[in-house]
Structures are given as C-alpha cells and as structure tokens.
Amino acid sequence: MQLNFIANAQVPSASGRVLPVLDPSDGQAFTEIQRSQASDIDAAVRAARDCYEGVWHKTSAAERSRLLYRLSQKIAEHADELTALEQRDCGKPTKQARADALALVRYFEFYAGACDKLHGETIPYQDGYSVFTWREPHGVTGHVIPWNYPMQIFGRSVGGALAAGNVCVVKPAEDACLSLLRVAQLAAEVGFPAGALNIVTGYGHEVGDALARHPGIDHISFTGSPKVGTIIQQVAAERHCPVTLELGGKSPQIIFADADLDAAIPVVINAIVQNAGQTCSAGSRVLIQRDIYEPLLERLGKAFEALRVGPAAMDLDVGPLIRQSQQQRVWDFLSDAHAANIPMVAQGRVVDEAPDTGFYQAPTLLRDVPVDHRLAQEEVFGPVLAAMAFSDEDEAVALANATQFGLVAGVWTRDGARQFRMAKRVKSGQVFINNYGAGGGVELPFGGVKSSGYGREKGFEALYGFTTLKTVAVRHG
Ligand code: NAD
C-alpha cells in the first residue's frame, strides 16, 4: 500500500481510507493509495510552512541548486525503477515511460542550474533614490498534477517552484501517483529538509479541492481539464491566490503543399499517438492544403494501419488509455463521428495479446471533419486525428484559430516568408515550424492562450511565475 509523503515521512491518511490503483494494461488493481481529506492537506501545508519559515527561506540559492542537482542524479540512478512504476501505473509503453523519467532528470538538472541566476534589476530613477527589484518566492506552492505525464509535469512545475525558493504541496492525479511518491522519497534521501516536498493523494474533488481552498497555499499550479481549471480559478479567487493554468488544446498541424512530407508524416503520426493521444499538446487536427489532401491522406492512412496497440510491457506504438471512463470518452467521440457520417480513413490494430479487461483504443484517422463538429473543437484525449482541407494561407489561419484553445501549432512549409507569417498569425503559446515540440526541451517556455490557460512553465520563464516581484526604493538624498 502507498502512503502520503509529509515532512519526509510516509504517513497514512487521517481517515485511513484508500483507493485501488489499476493497471490500465489489464484493468486489474495491484496496489492502493491513500484517499486523503482536507485534514491531510492541512498537515502537509503546516509541514511545508514550518520548513519554509524555519529552513528553506534561509537556504542559499547555491545550496538549493546542489540539492536539486543531487535529486536529478538520484532520479537518474533510479530511472529503471521509475520507468517500471510509470509503465504499470499509467499504461505507458516502456520507451515513453523511460523518456518521462529522463525528462524528469533533465528538469531537475536544468532548474538546479537556474537557482542562483534569478536576478532582480536596478531601475534608473530620480536623483536621490536607488531603486531595485527582488524576486521573492511565493512561499508554499500547491501543485495539482494530471495523470498523463506525472513525472514530466511534476518536473516542470515542482522543479521550477523549488528552484525559485518555494516549498511544495503536491496533489497527483488519483490514477497516477506511484512515481511521484517515490521521487519524494528520493528527495528526502538526498537531503531535502522535511516539509520541502509533500505529496498527498486522493480524489480531485476532495483533496484537490482542499488544496486549492487552503489559506496556507500561496500559489497554485494546475494542469488538467478546462472544467477543473475554472473551478480552481474560482476557488483561488476567493482569497486572491495566483494561479498558473495549463488546460490542454486542440492543436493543429498545418501542412502546405510545398512541405517535406517525408519529414512531416512520422511527426504528425507521433504527435497524435504518443501516450495514446493523452497529451495536452497532441496534434489532434491535421489541416492539409487541398492540392495534396488526397495523396497525403492516403499516406497517413497507411501509416495508421501499421500502428499496433497493446500492453505497456510489449512496448508497441501505443499503450492502453488510462482508465475505462477515458476509453468510453473516446468511444463517444467516435460514435458521434459515425452518426455525423464523418468518414474514417484508417485505423490501427489492437494486438491479440491485449487483455479484454485493458483500456485499449485503436488509433483512428477521420477526414472531412466539419469545423463546428465536436471532433474539430473538443479535446478527445485519445489517439484520434481529425483531417480537414484548406485552400490558402488565410483559410489555414482561420481553421487553425477556430477553436477555444491555443496551445501548440505545427506548420509545415518550405516557404520561409510563410513560416514567419504563420507563426505570427496563429494564436497559440507555441508554434513549431517543420517540427513539432522541438524534442520537448525543458529549456523552452510552455503554456497556452485562450482556454488553454495562462502563465508559463518550463524554461527560465517559469521562475517568474513562481516568484513575486518586490520593488525597493531607497531615498538617500
Ligand atoms: P481533471 O482536470 O479532472 O484532473 C486533473 C487533476 O485535477 C487531477 O489531479 C484531479 O484529481 C484534479 N482535480 C479534479 N477535480 C478537482 C477539483 N475540483 N479541485 C482540484 N483538483 C481537482 O482531468 P481528468 O478528469 O482526469 O481528465 C478529463 C479531461 O481533462 C481529459 O479527457 C482531458 O481532455 C483533460 N486533461 C488535460 C490534461 C492536460 O495535460 N492539459 C491532463 C489531464 C486531463
């Protein structure tokens, strides 16, 4: 059984209640986590506050840097163990689970190097004054983490917060806690003081809500659905608590007729099947210039048909979805597509070895999806790609921007001037030209516009969000 991690100790929830943890590959329970309540959050926030006031606040940036670096190295030593945990807990094929563990190493390595480089400024002002700014940590930051990339999102959110001098209370998703509980133990082993990093598990509407409401939380970082993002903002607004939100997207891959299709095709496929499509930045719409619509759909269709889905341990192209309700969500989208006569171009195949009790979904390519259909508007969070045709740049931009979201866009063209025009006109937090995701570099700031959220994590930019600016003006005559 898994326990909460508070003040460097493994502790049961106050109520003693637990939740089963299912393996998405076979749908069977294999361990339990704590079903915590508000009182457990309260204990974690008190431990964090004590740490902040007593130790962390006085710890030099250089010492924080050493601790973060030691943690990155410790995670690297335990990469196999974390890969195995994540594979079983989230149903991730081995290579994806390992990529997540290695990304976590890199996040702590990057933020270790950033701790002592977060400067304020001096400001030229009237004669007789000296004015400067300090970047100060918020204090105790709350982190609500989703189930799709627990290690990566923990790395970018908690790594940045600790580097900026905060202490953290983390609420992982109820479907994916195991790797993060283990990382918290590793943090204690490398010398993080008690209370610097606390993890409390349980349901979002119970323990996540308690975290968002707690008056001792000074900033909230949330990654998840737009619906819960709205709730978090409303709750946080009651006490004017700042929030960073990353709420997913309906990201377009825009392919012009002059694009290098050999380069684009594998990237377009990977961007929708990676992690079974359960990725905030999934490239879930492919917008194709009309001149190449038919031949490109044919090539994409062939690539979809070759995709194989199966248990995480088989390490195929695609693993299972996280849980049955997510599988049902994808089925609902597909049956809506069927009812609307949206043509299916191709599907991958679930292998025979996949247990019937696992949460599998074959990757599916749909074409001629009307711009106002929910498949062109809403986040499916499954391996379903919606293809649409456009005639020219103006139409491509109009389609790309025609959703409530604005997270990522991929643009594929050899025309240099068009690359810049498209990058300017598409409304999103990131635009990738002739690539998609730039290899996921931890150095690159990441976040959305519109309903994809606001604030930035990853990169040095995240440190501004995890600090508040104090202006100091000294009158010296
Ligand atoms: P969710 O938003 O409900 O869960 C995300 C996190 O928020 C989890 O830790 C959850 O426990 C917590 N949470 C839930 N209700 C809460 C509340 N009232 N207060 C505080 N925390 C709360 O997401 P989900 O239900 O697991 O997935 C639903 C949909 O959300 C998905 O289909 C997908 O479209 C989207 N999603 C997006 C991302 C992303 O990376 N942007 C991640 C996960 C889910």
Side-chain angles (χ1 to χ4, degrees), residues 4 75 99 121 144 161 189 199 290 318 320 324 435 443 458-459 477:
N4 287 332
I75 294 165
E121 292 182 327
V144 181
E189 283 174 29
I199 308 219
R290 213 170 291 281
V318 185
Q324 203 281 322
N435 78 93
E443 305 87 342
K458 300 182 63 175

Side-chain angles (χ1 to χ4, degrees), residues 96 253 265-275 277 279 283 317 436:
Q96 176 67 59
Q253 297 264 22
I265 288 170
V267 177
V268 168
I269 301 284
N270 185 58
I272 187 61
V273 302
Q274 178 179 315
N275 206 36
T279 304
D317 305 304
Y436 196 78

Side-chain angles (χ1 to χ4, degrees), residues 257-333:
D258 68 342
D260 178 348
L261 298 184
D262 292 340
I265 288 170
V267 177
V268 168
I269 301 284
N270 185 58
I272 187 61
V273 302
Q274 178 179 315
N275 206 36
Q278 304 167 120
T279 304
C280 54
S281 55
S284 52
R285 293 184 292 153
V286 59
L287 316 182
I288 305 172
Q289 197 157 24
R290 213 170 291 281
D291 325 33
I292 56 164
Y293 191 60
E294 295 302 336
L296 181 53
L297 278 182
E298 199 179 321
R299 290 184 67 181
L300 286 171
K302 285 207 174 89
F304 263 72
E305 278 164 7
L307 293 167
R308 292 294 168 264
V309 187
M314 287 182 74
D315 203 16
L316 302 175
D317 305 304
V318 185
L321 299 168
I322 188 76
R323 58 178 184 234
Q324 203 281 322
S325 64
Q326 196 62 26
Q327 189 184 35
Q328 185 62 51
R329 178 183 166 92
V330 178
W331 290 346
D332 289 347
F333 271 96

Side-chain angles (χ1 to χ4, degrees), residues 18 27 48 58 85 154 160 174-175 177 202 264 274 290 296 309 319 341 349 377 381 393 420:
V18 293
K58 299 174 197 151
L85 274 177
F154 176 90
E174 50 273 33
D175 297 295
C177 299
Q274 178 179 315
R290 213 170 291 281
L296 181 53
V309 187
N341 292 321
R349 186 167 69 76
Q377 292 293 328
F381 238 53
E393 234 173 271
F420 281 88

Side-chain angles (χ1 to χ4, degrees), residues 1-2 17-24 27-35 89 173-178 201-203 322-323 359:
M1 187 204 287
Q2 306 288 320
R17 289 198 289 176
V18 293
L19 296 171
V21 177
L22 306 190
D23 178 344
Q28 305 302 307
F30 64 97
T31 186
E32 291 168 331
I33 55 166
Q34 302 300 304
R35 180 176 170 181
D89 200 12
E174 50 273 33
D175 297 295
C177 299
L178 305 191
T201 63
Y203 284 129
I322 188 76
R323 58 178 184 234
F359 311 131

Side-chain angles (χ1 to χ4, degrees), residues 144-148 153 171-175 202-205 208-209 212 222-226 228-229 231-232 246-249 279-280 323 326 329 379-381:
V144 181
I145 311 274
W147 41 261
N148 53 347
I153 292 168
K171 208 301 279 178
E174 50 273 33
D175 297 295
Y203 284 129
H205 65 278
D209 183 68
F222 172 78
T223 304
S225 61
V228 176
I231 296 172
I232 297 255
E246 206 274 79
L247 308 177
T279 304
C280 54
R323 58 178 184 234
Q326 196 62 26
R329 178 183 166 92
E379 202 171 26
V380 177
F381 238 53

Side-chain angles (χ1 to χ4, degrees), residues 70-411:
R70 285 211 289 273
L71 181 54
S72 81
Q73 297 305 292
K74 192 80 171 171
I75 294 165
E77 284 164 25
H78 289 261
D80 286 347
E81 180 194 353
L82 291 167
T83 298
L85 274 177
E86 202 78 321
Q87 179 177 298
R88 186 141 198 222
D89 200 12
C90 305
K92 286 179 190 262
T94 315
K95 53 184 164 311
Q96 176 67 59
R98 180 169 303 281
D100 290 4
L102 297 181
L104 181 58
V105 172
R106 182 68 192 120
Y107 275 114
F108 275 92
E109 189 179 58
F110 176 83
Y111 284 118
C115 292
D116 53 1
K117 294 165 190 73
L118 185 58
H119 301 158
E121 292 182 327
T122 53
I123 298 169
Y125 194 56
Q126 295 171 18
D127 187 35
Y129 287 87
S130 286
V131 183
F132 56 91
T133 57
W134 281 329
R135 288 237 156 240
E136 297 187 329
H138 294 292
V140 181
T141 50
H143 303 259
V144 181
I145 311 274
W147 41 261
N148 53 347
Y149 290 87
M151 286 196 278
Q152 294 220 28
I153 292 168
F154 176 90
R156 76 187 193 200
S157 166
V158 173
L162 288 170
N166 301 282
V167 291
C168 304
V169 177
V170 179
K171 208 301 279 178
E174 50 273 33
D175 297 295
C177 299
L178 305 191
S179 57
L180 303 191
L181 288 167
R182 185 70 185 115
V183 169
Q185 292 167 12
L186 299 178
E189 283 174 29
V190 301
F192 274 80
L197 174 56
N198 308 278
I199 308 219
V200 182
T201 63
Y203 284 129
H205 65 278
E206 294 179 350
V207 75
D209 183 68
L211 174 72
R213 281 180 200 283
H214 199 290
I217 294 287
D218 302 314
H219 175 277
I220 301 168
S221 160
F222 172 78
T223 304
S225 61
K227 187 170 145 226
V228 176
T230 303
I231 296 172
I232 297 255
Q233 286 180 93
Q234 287 167 339
V235 168
E238 293 285 335
R239 57 196 170 80
H240 309 290
C241 176
V243 178
T244 300
L245 296 174
E246 206 274 79
L247 308 177
K250 190 74 194 175
S251 297
Q253 297 264 22
I254 308 163
I255 309 185
F256 287 89
D258 68 342
D260 178 348
L261 298 184
D262 292 340
I265 288 170
V267 177
V268 168
I269 301 284
N270 185 58
I272 187 61
V273 302
Q274 178 179 315
N275 206 36
Q278 304 167 120
T279 304
C280 54
S281 55
S284 52
R285 293 184 292 153
V286 59
L287 316 182
I288 305 172
Q289 197 157 24
R290 213 170 291 281
D291 325 33
I292 56 164
Y293 191 60
E294 295 302 336
L296 181 53
L297 278 182
E298 199 179 321
R299 290 184 67 181
L300 286 171
K302 285 207 174 89
F304 263 72
E305 278 164 7
L307 293 167
R308 292 294 168 264
V309 187
M314 287 182 74
D315 203 16
L316 302 175
D317 305 304
V318 185
L321 299 168
I322 188 76
R323 58 178 184 234
Q324 203 281 322
S325 64
Q326 196 62 26
Q327 189 184 35
Q328 185 62 51
R329 178 183 166 92
V330 178
W331 290 346
D332 289 347
F333 271 96
L334 291 179
S335 72
D336 283 358
H338 185 68
N341 292 321
I342 293 174
M344 183 191 293
V345 180
Q347 264 194 327
R349 186 167 69 76
V350 179
V351 298
D352 296 341
E353 295 87 336
D356 292 343
T357 47
F359 311 131
Y360 299 97
Q361 171 60 48
T364 305
L365 174 61
L366 302 166
R367 59 173 289 167
D368 313 337
V369 177
V371 65
D372 55 355
H373 192 274
R374 66 188 290 243
L375 265 158
Q377 292 293 328
E378 297 174 30
E379 202 171 26
V380 177
F381 238 53
V384 180
L385 181 58
M388 308 156 85
F390 68 84
S391 299
D392 56 18
E393 234 173 271
D394 285 343
E395 196 182 1
V397 170
L399 281 175
N401 291 340
T403 77
Q404 61 168 319
F405 293 107
L407 191 59
V408 174
V411 178

